[in-house]
Amino acid sequence: MKTVTVALGARSYPIHIEAGLLARAAEYLAPLARGRTMAIVTDENVRPHLATLQAALTATGVASEAIVLPPGEKTKSWPILEQLCDRLLELGVERQDHVVALGGGVIGDLVGFACAILKRGCRFVQIPTTLLAQVDSSVGGKTAINTRAGKNLIGAFHQPAMVLIDPDVLDTLGLREVRAGYGEVVKYGLIDDFAFFEWCEGHAGALFAGEAEARVHAIAHAVAAKARIVAADEHETAGIRALLNLGHTFGHALEAEAGFSDRLLHGEGVAAGCALAFRYSARLGLCSGQEAMRVAAHMRASGLPDGLAAAGIAASGETLVAHMRHDKKMNAGTLPFLLARGIGQTFLDKTVDLADVAAFLDEEPR
């Protein structure tokens, strides 16, 4: 087993990573149950994993109640949040109880936000079942729902008590979902770890093929990188945690244009957004065109979109920038961008001209 700690003083928590961990999750959950029924929130796609988890809990004498929600990004909504909170209140969830979020990023974000506001805050445990959730959304305490104005605009920082990651659950994912999760894996190499980007170039195929060693290395490395950044800047006030948003400003605009649907998965939007961020950086003379091309080539080789055309986005630059104006990071009419001086040399730029971004996007192939 590999264990990474998110160091937040009294609110520090462990991230356990091990193949087959789901079937043994009760070892970690039973001490948190306090002799009470444990609520598990999941979605229809995760029922097989739900059965494994509930059987493990039952075997250790822990009762559980499952709340099964519809799958998909539309579940991160006001109506479903209300339904979930009402159901958790019906179950008598207390502040010291631990609700289990079993699923991908949608379930983790929704359950985390519900627990942040339920009785002014109750506890929860993340058991992510997608690669994207394992390496990104389950760690760090960002919770949210989507609105008509954009993605994740209503939310709260609310850290989990524990994260349990079983790489074996990825066997049930389709290749597209694994590749989308990989968009968040390779991001960590692009931010500040050139050696990890090189590892990704040589091992992405092994990860997609389900090789255990590649899976564990990628997950553990990504989680450790995120834990380090979160510990240094939990609430994104020092500018350090903002580095994790590489590719997201462009990517969220593409997702918004795609209607936050399966037409463009989040990790696919991030991959395209990273390639766009490097091309825009090259346009500004910050990094070489060769490095931007190298990033784009790796995205293509990994089966991920490297720009607007590959993402199926035909909207104008101004339309995409209009989506960006709803970004949570907007401040006094300006939007910080993650740009790069090279692979592994990302930095936050607060002087970017959105009109220039629109012009850049208009030059991109459709």
Side-chain angles (χ1 to χ4, degrees):
M1 173 177 287
K2 291 183 180 293
T3 299
V4 175
T5 299
V6 181
L8 295 171
R11 294 176 298 107
S12 297
Y13 58 92
I15 304 162
H16 300 302
I17 308 162
E18 186 179 38
L21 184 57
L22 182 64
R24 297 192 299 100
E27 296 176 22
Y28 299 91
L29 297 179
L32 306 179
R34 305 186 304 133
R36 292 169 50 77
T37 298
M38 184 164 270
I40 304 170
V41 185
T42 189
D43 69 40
E44 292 286 354
N45 291 340
V46 191
R47 279 191 181 275
H49 300 318
L50 172 64
T52 299
L53 178 59
Q54 288 195 291
L57 288 171
T58 299
T60 58
V62 176
S64 62
E65 182 78 27
I67 302 172
V68 183
L69 302 174
E73 194 73 25
K74 294 186 185 303
T75 293
K76 282 175 55 172
S77 65
W78 284 115
I80 300 296
L81 175 67
E82 182 180 17
Q83 292 174 30
L84 174 57
C85 287
D86 284 344
R87 181 61 181 138
L88 291 173
L89 290 171
E90 288 172 3
L91 293 174
V93 170
E94 298 176 354
R95 282 183 172 181
Q96 298 305 311
D97 287 338
H98 290 75
V99 178
V100 177
L102 175 68
V106 167
I107 289 296
D109 283 1
L110 176 69
V111 174
F113 186 39
C115 289
I117 60 177
L118 195 76
K119 298 184 176 179
R120 298 196 179 99
C122 64
R123 302 183 178 190
F124 77 115
V125 174
Q126 290 267 22
I127 305 183
T129 59
T130 66
L131 180 59
L132 190 146
Q134 289 178 348
V135 302
D136 186 58
S137 59
S138 67
V139 179
K142 280 188 175 181
T143 72
I145 60 171
N146 302 331
T147 69
R148 287 191 297 270
K151 187 179 178 72
N152 296 333
L153 295 181
I154 305 295
F157 287 97
H158 190 56
Q159 300 291 346
M162 181 186 300
V163 182
L164 302 178
I165 297 176
D166 183 351
D168 283 353
V169 303
L170 303 181
D171 290 339
T172 62
L173 290 184
L175 181 57
R176 184 187 178 195
E177 284 75 18
V178 174
R179 283 174 166 160
Y182 177 73
E184 290 279 9
V185 172
V186 70
K187 174 191 77 175
Y188 292 102
L190 298 174
I191 291 171
D192 63 359
D193 194 341
F194 179 70
F196 184 58
F197 178 75
E198 288 188 309
W199 181 90
C200 288
E201 287 182 310
H203 295 84
L207 179 63
F208 298 148
E211 291 186 14
E213 186 177 348
R215 273 180 178 173
V216 171
H217 180 80
I219 293 169
H221 193 95
V223 163
K226 183 161 189 180
R228 171 177 51 82
I229 291 173
V230 169
D233 185 17
E234 180 182 3
H235 295 111
E236 204 170 299
T237 55
I240 300 170
R241 184 165 181 167
L243 294 173
L244 296 171
N245 293 320
L246 177 63
H248 286 61
T249 301
F250 285 109
H252 281 171
L254 304 187
E255 286 183 84
E257 187 61 25
F260 299 112
S261 68
D262 288 347
R263 182 180 149 200
L264 184 69
L265 301 179
H266 175 66
E268 294 170 337
V270 169
C274 285
L276 288 167
F278 269 80
R279 280 204 291 281
Y280 186 59
S281 296
R283 184 179 191 265
L284 296 176
L286 297 169
C287 73
S288 71
Q290 286 183 324
E291 286 183 293
M293 287 189 289
R294 183 174 176 179
V295 172
H298 182 61
M299 297 307 180
R300 290 195 301 273
S302 302
L304 290 166
D306 65 336
L308 303 185
I313 301 298
S316 69
E318 185 51 48
T319 296
L320 294 173
V321 165
H323 291 307
M324 294 179 186
R325 294 183 191 279
H326 291 292
D327 194 290
K328 300 180 294 299
K329 299 179 292 298
M330 282 291 291
N331 184 9
T334 62
L335 179 59
F337 271 75
L338 272 298
L339 302 178
R341 296 187 178 92
I343 296 172
Q345 300 178 61
T346 298
F347 70 100
L348 190 66
D349 190 329
K350 299 181 179 181
T351 65
V352 171
D353 180 358
L354 288 177
D356 189 56
V357 173
F360 159 72
L361 290 170
D362 280 333
E363 295 167 3
E364 284 284 301
R366 298 302 198 272

